[in-house]
Amino acid sequence: MAMEKRPDFLVLGVSWEEFSLHVAFLLTLFLAPYSLIMALNSIIIFITWTDSRLRQIPVPCVPPPWPPVFAGPHTVDASNSSTVTEFILVGFEKSSPSTRTFLFTLCLALYSLAMAMNGLIIFITWTDPRLNSPMYFFLGHLSLLDVCFITTTIPQMLVHLLTRTHEVSFVSCMTQMYLVFSMGVAECILLAFMAYDRYVAICHPLSYAQIMRRQVCVSLVSTCWIFGMINGIFLEYMSFRNPFCRDNHVENFFCEAPIVIALSCGDVQFSMKMIFADATVVLLSPTVLVVISYACILASILSKASSSGRGKTFSTCASHLTVVILLYSSAMFSYMNPRSTHGPDKDKIFSLLYTLIFPICNPIIYSFRNKEMKGAMGRALGRTGMDHSESV
């Protein structure tokens, strides 16, 4: 009598119910915020296109002179309706020359280090056939996001530390803000997926190959990039929906959304509330997944591993959680804190933290402490040295 063929999930040691639970958890966690953001976008588009009261030309922020000057029915006094065409990034302009020189040297060294480490990780994870597991696939994309994220802001800051010209065009400010939004949101979601990957690898090792197969990993990474780009469009619209006719000095070294929104005219509070709501969904949802994943990992290790294994796992989990918590907390301070608690010095410190420090911490925490990654780096550097000697 022929045996009944069992489903692949059972052969690999996981039931269909467990696999469905993992998939449903991920879909619920990230489709819910996506649906919320799309619904908010749809409501805004519907209201602005159907409500005739919102089609009126906004009143200039600069009050007209008194007594009024009547210059005819079709003429407007240009001096009273000025429009911002560029922004001035104040950055560290008020610092002393010695301080700016020190900051330039330090930031240039850190930027070069971050680019070198992340570039090496990208090269290794994409060329070494031994690093074909989902963990290294995610690490390669995390390094790519770090490279894009740090290049969006730091080179411009380095130039402004050496020059007195800190003006950026309106389009440049919009482009920079969109890239910061897109890369930052994608990285927050990717870190949550990486935590889930570690959870499946440690708590469900027999079903790891099936749950985190190549197609699933590609879909998760694509979700990060696509969600980041779509969310960036929404945040960009909320940041630049109002006209700019006030002061154009941005008290930071890049175009950060809350500071730029505060310079606009019109309903500033509505834009800030929408930014806050979006940050709540985008930041808190991955935070919940990260905390749950590492809590399950620690519970599994405490019940199974030896004392030496526990110490190593605790060290790894603690370092990962430290990076994630610092990244999320600094982003929450910038986009979820009331503006009354902000200040130029605080904003710059937290901005430097998540734009420069974390792209350096990620390779050290996630990669350079890994034995397989160290071996791959040794092979890559040795191969490069041999190729160079042969060419000479």
Side-chain angles (χ1 to χ4, degrees):
M1 181 177 177
M3 294 181 62
E4 183 180 358
K5 186 177 180 181
R6 304 174 68 189
D8 292 338
F9 301 107
L10 298 180
V11 173
L12 291 170
V14 60
S15 64
W16 168 254
E17 290 78 9
E18 291 179 347
F19 179 76
S20 302
L21 181 63
H22 295 311
V23 174
F25 178 69
L26 283 176
L27 290 177
T28 303
L29 185 65
F30 289 101
L31 284 180
Y34 176 78
S35 302
L36 177 62
I37 292 175
M38 293 302 294
L40 293 174
N41 275 314
S42 302
I43 292 174
I44 292 172
I45 294 173
F46 176 78
I47 292 176
T48 54
W49 286 5
T50 57
D51 196 332
S52 59
R53 290 173 295 181
L54 300 180
R55 300 177 189 173
Q56 300 176 358
I57 300 176
V59 179
C61 297
V62 181
W66 186 263
V69 178
F70 297 97
H74 299 291
T75 60
V76 179
D77 188 357
S79 62
N80 294 330
S81 59
S82 59
T83 302
V84 173
T85 58
E86 64 180 16
F87 293 97
I88 299 176
L89 303 180
V90 177
F92 302 95
E93 182 180 8
K94 299 178 182 178
S95 303
S96 62
S98 59
T99 302
R100 291 200 301 271
T101 303
F102 171 76
L103 286 174
F104 174 81
T105 305
L106 178 62
C107 293
L108 178 61
L110 294 177
Y111 174 72
S112 303
L113 181 62
M115 292 295 290
M117 291 192 299
N118 285 289
L120 181 60
I121 292 174
I122 294 172
F123 174 76
I124 291 174
T125 54
W126 291 3
T127 57
D128 195 324
R130 304 182 190 182
L131 303 179
N132 58 356
S133 67
M135 180 180 69
Y136 299 111
F137 178 75
F138 290 135
L139 282 175
H141 282 274
L142 179 64
S143 295
L144 179 60
L145 283 171
D146 283 335
V147 168
C148 297
F149 189 72
I150 195 173
T151 305
T152 304
T153 57
I154 301 302
Q156 182 186 65
M157 183 194 72
L158 294 175
V159 173
H160 289 174
L161 284 173
L162 295 179
T163 63
R164 289 290 183 180
T165 304
H166 297 174
E167 293 84 2
V168 293
S169 65
F170 196 88
V171 175
S172 298
C173 186
M174 291 182 63
T175 304
Q176 184 185 56
M177 189 180 297
Y178 174 75
L179 293 175
V180 169
F181 280 144
S182 301
M183 300 300 108
V185 170
E187 183 163 346
C188 289
I189 298 176
L190 182 59
L191 287 173
F193 285 148
M194 291 174 65
Y196 178 76
D197 170 71
R198 292 297 85 208
Y199 157 73
V200 177
I202 295 175
C203 300
H204 301 278
L206 297 178
S207 58
Y208 178 70
Q210 176 63 30
I211 296 177
M212 301 303 295
R213 59 188 184 275
R214 186 71 176 182
Q215 295 86 344
V216 174
C217 296
V218 172
S219 300
L220 293 177
V221 171
S222 301
T223 300
C224 297
W225 286 93
I226 295 173
F227 187 85
M229 294 177 183
I230 295 176
N231 193 64
I233 295 175
F234 169 71
L235 296 175
E236 186 87 347
Y237 168 74
M238 297 309 305
S239 301
F240 291 93
R241 58 185 291 270
N242 294 321
F244 290 86
C245 50
R246 295 177 181 171
D247 185 19
N248 64 340
H249 288 73
V250 179
E251 291 288 342
N252 211 329
F253 59 88
F254 72 99
C255 291
E256 193 173 35
I259 302 177
V260 174
I261 292 175
L263 301 177
S264 64
C265 309
D267 191 358
V268 176
Q269 290 301 320
F270 177 75
S271 297
M272 295 299 296
K273 290 178 181 178
M274 297 304 296
I275 294 287
F276 176 84
D278 181 87
T280 302
V281 175
V282 171
L283 293 176
L284 293 185
S285 297
T287 302
V288 171
L289 180 58
V290 169
V291 171
I292 293 176
S293 299
Y294 281 111
C296 294
I297 290 174
L298 293 178
S300 176
I301 293 300
L302 287 175
S303 62
K304 297 178 182 179
S306 61
S307 58
S308 60
R310 291 176 186 175
K312 181 179 179 181
T313 304
F314 279 141
S315 175
T316 302
C317 292
S319 59
H320 290 189
L321 281 174
T322 300
V323 172
V324 171
I325 291 173
L326 288 177
L327 173 61
Y328 289 168
S329 60
S330 61
M332 289 177 184
F333 174 84
S334 299
Y335 295 99
M336 296 178 63
N337 231 18
R339 293 307 299 171
S340 58
T341 62
H342 288 229
D345 296 333
K346 291 183 181 179
D347 290 336
K348 293 170 189 176
I349 292 174
F350 279 93
S351 298
L352 278 175
L353 192 63
Y354 70 82
T355 58
L356 181 59
I357 303 302
F358 288 114
I360 298 175
C361 293
N362 286 338
I364 297 175
I365 297 298
Y366 288 99
S367 301
F368 292 129
R369 299 177 60 185
N370 186 291
K371 292 182 179 180
E372 294 182 2
M373 185 64 72
K374 291 179 180 178
M377 290 179 183
R379 291 191 297 271
L381 295 176
R383 185 170 60 251
T384 304
M386 290 178 59
D387 295 341
H388 178 70
S389 60
E390 289 178 359
S391 63
V392 175

